[in-house]
Amino acid sequence: MEMPHARSNRRQFVKLSALAAGAVMLPSRAMAQAPAAFALPALPYAINALEPHIDARTMEIHHGKHHAAYVAGLNAALEKAPKLKGKSLEEIFAGIGSVSDESVRTALRNHGGGHWNHTFFWNTLAPAKKSGAPSPELLKAIEASFGSMGDFKKAFNETATKRFGSGWAWLISSKGKLRITSTANQDNPLMKGIVPDADLGTPLLGLDVWEHAYYLHYQNRRADYINAWWSVINWAEVSRQFAAL
Ligand code: MN
């Protein structure tokens, strides 16, 4: 938006710069040094795009309230862990052990994990009509690891159903093989030194089985939510991540 007075503002800025270069430069240098805080990413589809499998109201609260709270909590925790400010989430996970304050460590684990997990979750979902299917290469790897697509689904469903309380079920790539794991709360398979080594790997799929992910629509019927989730997996994205391993 070109304001009528923009030109005179620019002229004034140039004049100020010439008069006091140091003073004018300082704020911009400080801004360049200050790491950008984490921000809530927009959903890659409309809020109601996953209906009827995942309803718009659940998505609205899950993304707009729960995920937003993890982002805010992560940014607040980073204020108390200045050495990790400006780092990627993966670097933050690796650096949690170096933070001396236990409450800050816990906040980074819970909120950092919450931000990573939900961002990953949204990106591996798609409207049912765009869900697609695993690439031939991914399907082959699933069959090699689990026997068949049906056996894979059965094993994944069992892990997701059995996760007691809040947490996630995952399909991970670990040492060249696909495996199904589960983590509690907002932990994830990237958290070396936090989750058991057996659960570590590169996530390809993650299913949020916190009650906040399904309770409004499915109430206590977690199994129905898990079955519905298979209809809205973004297989193109999962296959892309598999190909990039
Ligand atoms: Mn969630």
Side-chain angles (χ1 to χ4, degrees), residues 143-166:
E143 288 169 349
S145 299
F146 307 106
S148 70
M149 190 67 187
D151 289 329
F152 162 58
K153 284 187 178 181
K154 202 176 150 195
F156 192 98
N157 286 355
E158 197 176 309
T159 298
T161 305
K162 281 186 178 167
R163 161 51 55 193
F164 185 76
S166 299

Side-chain angles (χ1 to χ4, degrees), residues 38-244:
F38 285 100
L40 179 68
L43 287 173
Y45 31 72
I47 202 96
N48 62 351
L50 307 180
E51 289 202 348
H53 308 286
I54 302 178
D55 63 291
R57 183 72 177 136
T58 296
M59 289 297 288
E60 196 182 326
I61 296 171
H62 199 176
H63 174 259
K65 304 290 183 193
H66 290 280
H67 189 172
Y70 296 125
V71 173
L74 171 62
N75 287 332
L78 285 170
E79 290 301 320
K80 296 173 186 169
K83 282 182 184 169
L84 295 179
K85 267 180 100 173
K87 304 277 189 190
S88 70
L89 280 172
E90 290 80 0
E91 290 169 328
I92 290 169
F93 297 153
I96 287 178
S98 70
V99 177
S100 55
D101 185 326
E102 191 188 346
S103 69
V104 177
R105 282 203 304 274
T106 303
L108 290 171
R109 175 180 180 176
N110 290 341
H111 297 290
H115 181 34
W116 193 97
N117 295 351
H118 286 83
T119 304
F120 181 79
F121 188 49
W122 311 134
N123 288 339
T124 50
L125 297 176
K129 62 178 185 294
K130 293 183 183 171
S131 172
S135 67
E137 295 79 13
L138 175 57
L139 182 61
K140 206 173 144 190
I142 286 173
E143 288 169 349
S145 299
F146 307 106
S148 70
M149 190 67 187
D151 289 329
F152 162 58
K153 284 187 178 181
K154 202 176 150 195
F156 192 98
N157 286 355
E158 197 176 309
T159 298
T161 305
K162 281 186 178 167
R163 161 51 55 193
F164 185 76
S166 299
W168 292 74
W170 305 96
L171 171 68
I172 61 170
S173 171
S174 173
K175 294 169 188 160
K177 283 195 160 184
L178 298 185
R179 293 200 20 244
I180 295 166
T181 65
S182 166
T183 55
N185 303 314
Q186 297 297 352
D187 290 349
N188 68 46
L190 298 171
M191 292 180 171
K192 192 170 164 55
I194 293 176
V195 305
D197 283 357
D199 294 329
L200 292 174
T202 305
L204 293 171
L205 262 180
L207 175 58
D208 187 345
V209 294
W210 282 59
E211 281 188 347
H212 71 220
Y214 62 88
Y215 205 86
L216 275 182
H217 186 73
Y218 293 97
Q219 290 83 48
N220 60 317
R221 293 173 283 115
R222 186 192 281 188
D224 290 352
Y225 158 70
I226 295 170
N227 282 328
W229 167 76
W230 288 103
S231 299
V232 288
I233 293 175
N234 184 345
W235 282 113
E237 175 58 17
V238 178
S239 301
R240 189 192 64 76
Q241 290 179 34
F242 176 71

